[in-house]
Amino acid sequence: MKEKQQIEQYFAEHKDAFIEHIRRLVRIRSVKGEAQAGIPFGEGPAEALKETLIIAEELGLLTNNIDNYVGTISINEEDTKLGILGHVDVVGEGKNWSYDPYEGTIVDGKMYGRGTSDDKGPVIAAMYALAAVKDLGFPLAYNTKLIVGTDEESGMEDLDYYLTKEKTPPYLFTPDAEFPVINIEKGAIRTSFDASFAKTDKLPRVLSVSGGYKVNVVPPEAIAEIEGMLLPDISEIALRVTEKTGVNFELQDLGKERVHIKAVGVGGHASTPETAINAITGLLTLISKLPLSEEEGHRMLRGVADIFPHQDYYGKAAGLAMEDKESGKLTMNFSIFEYSSDGQLKGMFDSRVPLCATEANTFDVLEPKLADYGIRLERGGFEKPHHTPADSPFVQTLLQVYEQYTGLKGECIAIGGGTYVHDIEGGVAFGPTMPGIDTRMHSNDEFIIIDDMLKAAQIYAQVIVELCGADKQQ
């Protein structure tokens, strides 16, 4: 308990500097830019990395810049036992901010700005944890290394490069998620299907369908054009479909018995499709109920609608429904779709798969279902789940320290998304966001709760002591 009191006192005394150091990073627009000589991800990420290492040196820590891909920050020169993996690149700011996204405005105990929670605030929290342990003079048998990347948001080429230069430490966590401990990240299937079919002029017919823009996003809009039907006839069917699906349809009469249909749903993340309303599946539901001519392309459209029906969030119709106790259910997001009466159809989906998923119980099941309609599945794009056992000494240490500093129950959780440690054996995500808080990362008005970030830094400091402290070794 003496260590806890010292750590808490340290952060009480350094709160103002802690806040200002987060602001120094937030003020840098570190969105990926054009690669140049010596700066692989553009000027913004390189500048943010440089400033991060300057701050670390001001705190008396040891730094190393690995070719502007990754920076490392260490307490000492002992062998590294614990790694903390964060990043200082950010996604674009978008629109509709209440405050300047690159200022770090503080209102009611919250700091607003791009990167405050993802992941500049957490990087500073981890850095201060290293500084606290050093300044308080806790005896250490091992080093803790903060590994700071610059391409987490755009492909993780930074981490790939780093792993060609250095080995990962025995213990590793990323402060880029939430507490308590995320020890399971579902795998993913992100792939496509396509087909060719005979062109026909028979009416009524679908001239085109288009929807979706990114594979890991639930499509909020989709459009179609129908020939050979009148607007009132489609409108009557559309109203009934809206009642069942929640998708709204905007119809426009183009003349000559052509009708433009816009389907409007609600976007969301592919890992949680049940929280959104898929415009593509809603539109295909409507199309499948229209009295279209019996042609090959229309049969394929109905087949796609049957295999990926609206609100089938768990892949039941595709034959993929599965779950396990540790990681939960498979989820399905039909992401992108294109259809042309000229004879081409193509779609993409993003399925987050539990630990029990294999290529045999996914691809081998879905492939023949699509083939029954003359549609070809592109095999590939299977990303294995990530799992670090909950009973490992590392995970148990993290949970114990979390409980000690928060008074909350420590437990392991599984997520559908992926973090920086997804492909690193033994890695987990550990904070810094407290349970139930939505910090709006990747959205407008991203924020952190300053006191929560300080608490996370204290937790990280105690973890360093527990894992690397000279008097903790056996």
PDB file of all heavy atoms in Angstrom, residues 30 197 229 321 400 423 439 451 453 459 466:
ATOM      1  N   SER A  30      -1.440  14.763 -36.660  1.00  0.00           N
ATOM      2  CA  SER A  30      -0.595  13.644 -37.076  1.00  0.00           C
ATOM      3  C   SER A  30      -1.361  12.607 -37.888  1.00  0.00           C
ATOM      4  O   SER A  30      -1.267  11.402 -37.659  1.00  0.00           O
ATOM      5  CB  SER A  30       0.057  13.000 -35.855  1.00  0.00           C
ATOM      6  OG  SER A  30      -0.897  12.698 -34.861  1.00  0.00           O
ATOM      7  N   PHE A 197     -23.491 -12.790 -65.401  1.00  0.00           N
ATOM      8  CA  PHE A 197     -24.750 -13.382 -65.862  1.00  0.00           C
ATOM      9  C   PHE A 197     -25.145 -12.763 -67.197  1.00  0.00           C
ATOM     10  O   PHE A 197     -24.617 -11.717 -67.601  1.00  0.00           O
ATOM     11  CB  PHE A 197     -25.860 -13.182 -64.828  1.00  0.00           C
ATOM     12  CG  PHE A 197     -26.039 -11.759 -64.363  1.00  0.00           C
ATOM     13  CD1 PHE A 197     -26.885 -10.896 -65.036  1.00  0.00           C
ATOM     14  CD2 PHE A 197     -25.347 -11.286 -63.259  1.00  0.00           C
ATOM     15  CE1 PHE A 197     -27.048  -9.579 -64.620  1.00  0.00           C
ATOM     16  CE2 PHE A 197     -25.500  -9.985 -62.822  1.00  0.00           C
ATOM     17  CZ  PHE A 197     -26.355  -9.121 -63.507  1.00  0.00           C
ATOM     18  N   MET A 229     -41.485  -0.429 -63.938  1.00  0.00           N
ATOM     19  CA  MET A 229     -42.470  -0.324 -62.869  1.00  0.00           C
ATOM     20  C   MET A 229     -42.766   1.146 -62.595  1.00  0.00           C
ATOM     21  O   MET A 229     -41.929   2.027 -62.841  1.00  0.00           O
ATOM     22  CB  MET A 229     -41.982  -0.987 -61.571  1.00  0.00           C
ATOM     23  CG  MET A 229     -41.876  -2.500 -61.639  1.00  0.00           C
ATOM     24  SD  MET A 229     -41.568  -3.222 -60.005  1.00  0.00           S
ATOM     25  CE  MET A 229     -43.149  -2.903 -59.195  1.00  0.00           C
ATOM     26  N   ALA A 321     -23.710 -19.407 -38.257  1.00  0.00           N
ATOM     27  CA  ALA A 321     -23.985 -19.109 -36.845  1.00  0.00           C
ATOM     28  C   ALA A 321     -23.178 -20.033 -35.946  1.00  0.00           C
ATOM     29  O   ALA A 321     -23.249 -21.260 -36.069  1.00  0.00           O
ATOM     30  CB  ALA A 321     -25.475 -19.247 -36.561  1.00  0.00           C
ATOM     31  N   GLN A 400      -5.360  -7.720 -10.884  1.00  0.00           N
ATOM     32  CA  GLN A 400      -5.194  -7.425  -9.462  1.00  0.00           C
ATOM     33  C   GLN A 400      -4.878  -5.957  -9.225  1.00  0.00           C
ATOM     34  O   GLN A 400      -5.425  -5.331  -8.301  1.00  0.00           O
ATOM     35  CB  GLN A 400      -4.100  -8.321  -8.880  1.00  0.00           C
ATOM     36  CG  GLN A 400      -4.502  -9.784  -8.765  1.00  0.00           C
ATOM     37  CD  GLN A 400      -3.320 -10.707  -8.546  1.00  0.00           C
ATOM     38  OE1 GLN A 400      -2.200 -10.258  -8.264  1.00  0.00           O
ATOM     39  NE2 GLN A 400      -3.559 -12.010  -8.681  1.00  0.00           N
ATOM     40  N   ASP A 423      -1.815  -9.533 -33.425  1.00  0.00           N
ATOM     41  CA  ASP A 423      -0.946 -10.569 -33.989  1.00  0.00           C
ATOM     42  C   ASP A 423       0.273 -10.853 -33.117  1.00  0.00           C
ATOM     43  O   ASP A 423       1.234 -11.489 -33.582  1.00  0.00           O
ATOM     44  CB  ASP A 423      -0.499 -10.159 -35.398  1.00  0.00           C
ATOM     45  CG  ASP A 423      -1.662 -10.084 -36.369  1.00  0.00           C
ATOM     46  OD1 ASP A 423      -2.541 -10.955 -36.297  1.00  0.00           O
ATOM     47  OD2 ASP A 423      -1.691  -9.146 -37.190  1.00  0.00           O
ATOM     48  N   THR A 439     -15.645   7.412 -25.388  1.00  0.00           N
ATOM     49  CA  THR A 439     -14.838   8.621 -25.569  1.00  0.00           C
ATOM     50  C   THR A 439     -14.915   9.181 -26.994  1.00  0.00           C
ATOM     51  O   THR A 439     -14.178  10.106 -27.323  1.00  0.00           O
ATOM     52  CB  THR A 439     -13.375   8.345 -25.217  1.00  0.00           C
ATOM     53  OG1 THR A 439     -12.863   7.321 -26.089  1.00  0.00           O
ATOM     54  CG2 THR A 439     -13.237   7.879 -23.772  1.00  0.00           C
ATOM     55  N   ASP A 451      -9.242  12.840 -14.927  1.00  0.00           N
ATOM     56  CA  ASP A 451      -8.983  12.059 -13.712  1.00  0.00           C
ATOM     57  C   ASP A 451      -8.912  10.569 -14.003  1.00  0.00           C
ATOM     58  O   ASP A 451      -8.137   9.846 -13.357  1.00  0.00           O
ATOM     59  CB  ASP A 451     -10.064  12.346 -12.666  1.00  0.00           C
ATOM     60  CG  ASP A 451      -9.892  13.710 -12.004  1.00  0.00           C
ATOM     61  OD1 ASP A 451      -8.812  14.323 -12.166  1.00  0.00           O
ATOM     62  OD2 ASP A 451     -10.839  14.169 -11.331  1.00  0.00           O
ATOM     63  N   MET A 453      -7.754   9.297 -16.823  1.00  0.00           N
ATOM     64  CA  MET A 453      -6.457   9.081 -17.463  1.00  0.00           C
ATOM     65  C   MET A 453      -5.342   9.085 -16.428  1.00  0.00           C
ATOM     66  O   MET A 453      -4.385   8.296 -16.513  1.00  0.00           O
ATOM     67  CB  MET A 453      -6.217  10.135 -18.537  1.00  0.00           C
ATOM     68  CG  MET A 453      -5.052   9.817 -19.463  1.00  0.00           C
ATOM     69  SD  MET A 453      -5.280   8.294 -20.436  1.00  0.00           S
ATOM     70  CE  MET A 453      -6.585   8.799 -21.556  1.00  0.00           C
ATOM     71  N   ILE A 459      -2.251   3.097 -12.419  1.00  0.00           N
ATOM     72  CA  ILE A 459      -2.347   1.643 -12.586  1.00  0.00           C
ATOM     73  C   ILE A 459      -1.137   1.115 -13.346  1.00  0.00           C
ATOM     74  O   ILE A 459      -0.522   0.105 -12.954  1.00  0.00           O
ATOM     75  CB  ILE A 459      -3.654   1.276 -13.307  1.00  0.00           C
ATOM     76  CG1 ILE A 459      -4.864   1.575 -12.403  1.00  0.00           C
ATOM     77  CG2 ILE A 459      -3.654  -0.180 -13.742  1.00  0.00           C
ATOM     78  CD1 ILE A 459      -6.204   1.479 -13.105  1.00  0.00           C
ATOM     79  N   GLU A 466       5.144  -4.188 -10.155  1.00  0.00           N
ATOM     80  CA  GLU A 466       4.827  -5.596  -9.905  1.00  0.00           C
ATOM     81  C   GLU A 466       5.603  -6.533 -10.825  1.00  0.00           C
ATOM     82  O   GLU A 466       6.032  -7.616 -10.417  1.00  0.00           O
ATOM     83  CB  GLU A 466       3.319  -5.828 -10.080  1.00  0.00           C
ATOM     84  CG  GLU A 466       2.445  -5.098  -9.072  1.00  0.00           C
ATOM     85  CD  GLU A 466       2.689  -5.530  -7.640  1.00  0.00           C
ATOM     86  OE1 GLU A 466       2.982  -6.731  -7.423  1.00  0.00           O
ATOM     87  OE2 GLU A 466       2.620  -4.661  -6.749  1.00  0.00           O
TER      88      GLU A 466
END
